[in-house]
Amino acid sequence: MAVNIALTEDNFINRNTFIQKIKMYPEIILIFTAENGHHCLEELKGLPLQLVPQVIFMDLEMPEMDGIETIQIAKSMYPQIHFIVLTVFDDDVQIFEAIKAGASGY
C-alpha cells in the first residue's frame, strides 16, 4: 500500500537530500514539497482529497510561516494528516509546542 507524503522545508539542500532518499522507496509517493508554511497550505488547498498526504514532514524554523503555526492551521483543516517535525534544534519548548499544535512526533 502506497503512502502519500509531503515535505515542508526551507533549506534547499535538506529538501533535495530528503527527495533523493525518498525516491529509493516506490511505496512512498511525494505529493509536494513546500518552502514554508504558506506554500504548504496553498499546496494542500489545491489537492483532490485522494492526494492529500497522510504524513507531512515539517521543518520548524522557516521564513514567512513557521512549522508550529502551519501544523496548527493545517491540522484544523485536515485532522487526518500526521505531522512529523524535522529539526536540528534540541529545544524542548519548541518541540512541545509542535506536539500541542498537532504534530505526531519529531
Side-chain angles (χ1 to χ4, degrees), residues 10-51:
D10 65 320
N11 183 288
F12 176 79
I13 293 170
N14 291 346
R15 202 169 50 247
N16 282 338
T17 300
F18 185 93
I19 291 167
Q20 292 306 314
K21 297 295 183 190
I22 291 301
K23 285 182 179 180
M24 296 170 27
Y25 301 94
E27 66 275 11
I28 299 175
I29 301 167
L30 182 62
I31 301 297
F32 68 83
T33 62
E35 298 174 4
N36 59 55
H38 285 296
H39 186 206
C40 176
L41 294 175
E42 287 301 313
E43 289 286 337
L44 283 170
K45 285 181 191 174
L47 288 175
L49 208 50
Q50 68 271 21
L51 290 181

Side-chain angles (χ1 to χ4, degrees), residues 6-11 14-15 34-37 56-63 65-71 83-89 94 98:
L7 170 66
T8 303
E9 167 64 65
D10 65 320
N11 183 288
N14 291 346
R15 202 169 50 247
E35 298 174 4
N36 59 55
I56 296 180
F57 293 88
M58 181 70 63
D59 186 17
L60 290 184
E61 296 286 326
M62 295 179 290
M65 181 183 287
D66 68 26
I68 293 170
E69 185 179 1
T70 306
I71 291 169
F83 290 88
I84 304 296
V85 172
L86 301 177
T87 184
V88 296
F89 299 106
Q94 204 173 31

